[in-house]
Amino acid sequence: MDTIFALASARGKAGVSVLRISGAGAWDAVSALCGGRLPEPRRAALRRLIWQGDILDDALVIVFAEGASFTGEPSAELQVHGSIAVVDAVMRALGQMPGLRLAEPGEFTRRALENGRLDLEQVEGLADLIEAETEAQRRQAQRSLSGALGRLAESWRRDLVQAAALIEATIDFADEDVPVDVTPEVTALLARVQADLSAQIAGFGAAERIREGFEVAIIGRPNVGKSTLLNALAGRDAAITSDIAGTTRDVIEVRMDLAGLAVTFLDTAGLREATDAVEAIGIARAQERARDADLRVFLIAPGEDPTELAQVQPGDLVRIAKSDTPAAGGVSGKTGAGVPELLSEIGEILSQRASGAGLAVRLRQRQGIAAAADALDRARAALDPGGAASEIVAEELRSAARALEILIGKIGVEDLLDTIFSSFCIGK
Amino acid sequence: MKRFDVIVIGGGHAGTEAAHAAARMGAQVALVTLSTRDLGVMSCNPAMGGLGKGHIIREIDALDGVMGRVSDRAGIQFRLLNRRKGPAVQGPRAQIDRALYRAEMQAEMTGMANLRVIEAEVTDLRVDTGRVTGVVLADGTTLEAGAVILTAGTFLRGTLHIGDRQLRGGRMGDASADRLGDRLRDLGLGVGRLKTGTPPRLDGRSIDWAILDRQEGDAEPVMFSFLNRAPFVRQIACGITHTNARTHEIIRENLSRSALYGGYISSTGPRYCPSVEDKVVRFADKDSHQIFLEPEGLEDHTVYPNGISTSLPEDVQDAYVRSIRGLESVRILQPGYAIEYDYFDPRGLKGSLELTALPGLFLAGQINGTTGYEEAGGQGLVAGVNAVRLVRGEDPWLPSRRDSYIGVMIDDLRANGATEPYRMFTSRAEYRLSLRADNADQRLTETGISLGLVSETRKAAFGAKMAALSAARDQLSARIVTRAEAEDWGLPYAASGERRSLMDYLSIVPDTAAALLAQGGVMEGLDPETLTQLSRDATYEKYAHRQDAAVEMLRRDEDMRIPDDFDYAAISGLSGELGAKLAYVRPQNLAEAGRIEGMTPAALTLILARLRRLARDRGAA
Ligand SMILES: Cc1cc2nc3c(=O)[nH]c(=O)nc-3n(C[C@H](O)[C@H](O)[C@H](O)COP(=O)(O)OP(=O)(O)OC[C@H]3O[C@@H](n4cnc5c(N)ncnc54)[C@H](O)[C@@H]3O)c2cc1C
């Protein structure tokens, strides 16, 4: 079974991030980072982590033997300095080691369960965490695709579907009216995707600045005091970096720097009744945006029952507007009561939950792009006019598509069949 | 009242395979079919196999089923499709002599001592406290059984369409099974309608063969069955002709008179078997389509024109067929037609092919939304085995996506239902490089033996083959190639100086190494067939390794069985919507649960935790 790693986001103490590694290769991986100086099991030891000549961090390292760890497998914990840049560098190093891969949400828990290392009564609580993690990663992945990358990914998908459909047509419909040699067209399609992937890979270099963008949506009925709160948030510990109207009149964006994170607050018109069709579209869009935000702050009027707000999801924050008693969940943009508390809670949640998700998604995208580029190289190498190895080409195209799944979505056999049946007249 | 272990309704391709499998396992079996002449009837084209389909026949054969053996005996032209591509995507195919196929199938069926063929129409199912316990025949007779397998094909409320004319029927010349169809609708099972079509049959004596191109079979024919080496009867060639502008014009002018385009048919047909009307409309820019003229038998003048299935009226069929080169004065023996029939939503099936809603009743073949003899046969075999296992109180046998095309098919059907008639393609199998026609026996015969499906003859042949493979593998692994030899033989030598055996070379450079070994002088006494098989395995070894982790994960998830009475409502933390979906679909294991749309890692964790708790409680009890 693969060795998996992940940022144990929820557990991190302030200033410290914990990376977990589990599986047969866990000790070797740690040993590779510590220059072979593996500590005694269950003894925390300070080690300098070095990968390919670069010093990553001075970390507290603990290894656990099989049968004596959270998952029951040989495992390790790396406590590194909490900065995103450090965590990212260590995760990238781990991701480059053979046999290691980023854990899927819930995978540690699953292994622990299977190895009988978990009190079954604990599972429900863990399930909530897994749910939150899955959701956070989904949102990150979704958002990262909204810009230029998303447009690229769409064209990769189109080209890969087309290339794979052509190859599959020559395989599954060999005795039908389909072209015998699809090499020229497939080569052109793959070359285009390969060029894009290479350009992306070139951009992965060390120069890449780690600066996560987070989105926090403030949601509430009109006149509940969202704008005042937003101004207060912006005017306090945070510095406004820009104040621009959103692309629709229904979203106001305010960007600021919070605890070293780039945070965009969204003032959305999410809970308003639409009066006309145009407004309804705007509201729907704003609601979507709010749903995909890393965190939502619901602002309710005193006396309003928060459980009635359908959009509230686990992990969201709820505050009572125009109230001077922070202890009772109140906040006031006007007096400033409760604002520091709110900011620090937002900062904490983002740096723990959302940054883990962001790093995981980015690592997965980067690894996917690299793996896909390799698979496409192999596919190109196997292409020949006679189609002698077309099943190998097809296999490599599948690998490429799977590697890019987080960017281009799943490509299933139906997608290929649709393309085949609409391009060729199949059927004897 | 007569009592059997298993009753099979329908003697088509699913029914014969189901009945034979159950009988091989030693059960007392009754096969009830409308006419004993039904056994081995091919409703549509006189051909077996192809890509994906040929793979299924090999799998049936590996489990000692009948379809491969019978096809070999009745095959009059064998072609291995994709002969010049890799072994994973080569599919055996053959033209079949219809009459021979029926005769051989009947011989197979009547040759089983514990299998009784009963000629009758089943009009009702006997249901006792929610369980199917037998069948009722048209004359009122009741037959009792521990399990019933329904394989009624296109017969349930079948309607034939020829232009604007409609006939009731299960296929041309056979009555439909309307009473049973109505009864099944009453039982509230999810019923839908699908359609398919067939071309007119031509009199071969009125075809001008001399001016047509011909397609011969392979010079070295490849058989379906692992037990056969060569064809049994004389081999023939097929003719090739094409539609032309005039043909398309006639079809276009008469479109409104076609059952399909005249609005008489609303159900969905397969996209890969379009009618000639569809071809002309959807690919209007193509001015010609290829037609294969396939003789239906050695002693039969009937010719099947593959590529022009239709639902146009007879006079139009006459006109367009005669516009085709070589068919100018052809006689139509039977018009082409489209058929609409009832099928059941396969999402209501368990992996064993038993209906979740009606225990004791298994469904197989066309009624599950598939099309094709091979797809029907594969399902029949699974249903036959599991009906016997149910009667014996044993756990079902669930073929997996990892081990067979049959597993892929059943999994696809249960997961996605059938929006059009489902046909197998090799692209449906994600482990295509491992699921080859050439290794179906290596994948499945062992399982077949432990299920009690395999005869002594095959067991012995299989054992000998496996022993030869393993001996040759050992021999080749023990033979280390020196640097001088490698240079001499044109094999790449490892820069690291790593010692490589001949077996290593077989997987590093399969073609070069196989050619070298075949030519002799390097290692003597290697049986050519064994060598070929070893090199096929070796060709894909590194890809198989790459998939090992994924396969292993799938296997672990499949091993995590979810009991039929698993209570999703008892899992707090599972969303109501997802819980309801799970309770409806009833995944049989964790792998299936994971593939359900909307499934989340958290929900899977909760299910797994509950499974473990159940196991623990059971252990404590
Ligand atoms: C017009 C037509 C065109 C087709 N075209 C194609 C094609 O192009 N390509 C392709 O792959 N496949 C095609 N097929 C499908 C192919 O024939 C079927 O997929 C295959 O035969 C299905 O096997 P089966 O065992 O499910 O059913 P069938 O072969 O249809 O057998 C059903 C059997 O059940 C018996 N039966 C039914 N009801 C009762 C009852 N109440 N009591 C007793 N016996 C009963 C019948 O007598 C019959 O023997 C076509 C079929 C038809 C009819």
Side-chain angles (χ1 to χ4, degrees), chain A residues 279-299:
Chain A
E279 196 182 37
I281 293 170
I283 290 178
R285 215 176 281 153
Q287 282 179 339
E288 220 166 87
R289 185 90 185 268
R291 206 184 46 229
D292 285 345
D294 296 292
L295 181 63
R296 279 161 309 278
V297 180
F298 283 83
L299 207 54

Side-chain angles (χ1 to χ4, degrees), chain A residues 105 110 113-114 124 168 170-172 174 177 388 390-392 394-396 398 418 421 424 426-428, chain B residues 51 82 85-86 271-272 274 279 282 286 306-307 426-427 429-430 432 540 543 546-547 556-557 572 612:
Chain A
R110 163 132 196 213
L113 256 176
E114 285 178 356
E124 241 168 72
E168 294 294 357
T170 66
I171 294 177
D172 266 333
D177 214 357
S390 38
E391 81 281 22
I392 302 292
E395 185 64 30
E396 298 295 3
R398 271 187 216 207
D418 284 345
F421 294 133
F424 305 112
I426 303 280
K428 298 205 304 188
Chain B
L51 294 158
N82 280 339
K85 292 194 168 73
R271 283 175 298 176
Y272 32 79
K279 290 185 180 184
R282 289 188 36 228
K286 279 198 73 151
N306 197 339
T426 68
S427 48
E430 56 274 57
R432 173 164 64 187
Y540 297 116
Y543 298 93
R546 239 197 265 163
Q547 293 183 332
R556 278 191 320 138
D557 285 1
S572 62
R612 294 204 69 97

Side-chain angles (χ1 to χ4, degrees), chain A residues 428, chain B residues 9-16 32-35 38-39 41-45 53 120-123 150-156 160 170-172 174-177 180 196-198 270 273 304 337-339 364-367 370-377 423:
Chain A
K428 298 205 304 188
Chain B
I9 309 172
H13 304 279
T16 46
V32 186
T33 194
L34 291 171
S35 155
D38 288 343
L39 303 178
V41 170
M42 305 172 81
S43 310
C44 194
N45 57 330
K53 289 166 167 278
E121 181 188 353
V122 171
T123 50
L150 177 65
T151 70
T154 48
F155 284 66
L156 295 180
L160 314 183
R171 75 190 150 216
M172 192 62 88
D174 288 318
S176 55
L180 184 59
T196 187
T198 198
C273 273
Y304 178 95
Y337 61 92
I339 180 164
Q366 194 100 359
I367 51 168
T370 62
T371 170
Y373 314 130
E374 306 82 351
E375 288 83 351
R423 184 196 139 167

Side-chain angles (χ1 to χ4, degrees), chain B residues 5 19 77 115 128 136 186 256 274 340 342 363 401 410 451 494 521 582 593 613:
Chain B
D5 294 325
Q77 185 203 63
L115 168 58
D128 279 334
V136 181
D186 291 347
S256 63
E340 281 187 296
D342 279 0
L363 305 186
R401 304 189 73 88
I410 293 177
L451 288 170
L582 285 160
R613 183 172 320 185

